[in-house]
């Protein structure tokens, strides 16, 4: 049982602030438009880049890293919601992805 909120990709609002905790090469290959990328291993060093008054929807590839990031963020006073299934579920739901590589977006 989790102590943090988890939503499906279909429950994420269109205007949500997305925090993608995947590594940069994964993010560059395909990510949600407008998402912020702070890899999970950098989150402790970079958490102050985030606004504590903003609700963040935290996503990774399949949901494991975001499930670790979400309680960490909440422990430090940030509002965070885990996105179940990650970018894989986002892609399956036919939601938009963009790529920084010049190729069709993919989920890594």
């Amino acid at each position: 049982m989790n102590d943090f909120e988890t939503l499906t990709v279909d429950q994420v609002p269109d205007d949500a602030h997305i925090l993608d905790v995947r590594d940069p090469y994964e993010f560059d290959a395909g990510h949600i438009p407008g998402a912020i990328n702070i890899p999970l291993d950098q989150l402790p060093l970079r958490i102050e880049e985030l606004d504590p008054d903003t609700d963040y929807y935290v996503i990774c590839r399949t949901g494991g890293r975001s499930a670790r990031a979400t309680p960490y963020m909440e422990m430090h006073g940030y509002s965070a919601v885990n996105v179940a299934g990650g970018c894989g579920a986002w892609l399956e739901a036919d939601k938009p992805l963009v790529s920084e590589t010049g190729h069709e977006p993919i989920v890594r």
Side-chain angles (χ1 to χ4, degrees):
M1 189 162 166
N2 300 337
D3 290 352
F4 54 87
E5 187 175 6
T6 298
L7 297 177
T8 67
V9 296
D10 292 324
Q11 295 173 301
V12 175
D14 291 337
D15 62 348
H17 294 272
I18 305 292
L19 174 62
D20 191 320
V21 295
R22 294 177 298 153
D23 289 332
Y25 77 92
E26 295 172 291
F27 182 83
D28 289 348
H31 61 271
I32 298 165
I36 298 167
N37 180 225
I38 300 179
L40 180 61
D41 64 348
Q42 295 178 17
L43 189 58
L45 300 171
R46 297 180 55 194
I47 196 164
E48 290 182 2
E49 293 176 23
L50 301 174
D51 181 353
D53 296 325
T54 297
D55 297 328
Y56 290 98
Y57 292 79
V58 186
I59 198 161
C60 60
R61 183 171 53 91
T62 60
R65 286 173 280 184
S66 59
R68 293 195 308 267
T70 300
Y72 178 84
M73 291 176 66
E74 289 184 339
M75 256 181 14
H76 289 85
Y78 292 83
S79 174
V81 176
N82 182 46
V83 180
C87 287
W90 191 273
L91 182 64
E92 287 176 15
D94 203 29
K95 292 187 168 277
L97 289 174
V98 294
S99 168
E100 302 298 319
T101 65
H103 299 286
E104 219 28 58
I106 60 170
V107 174
R108 294 183 161 211

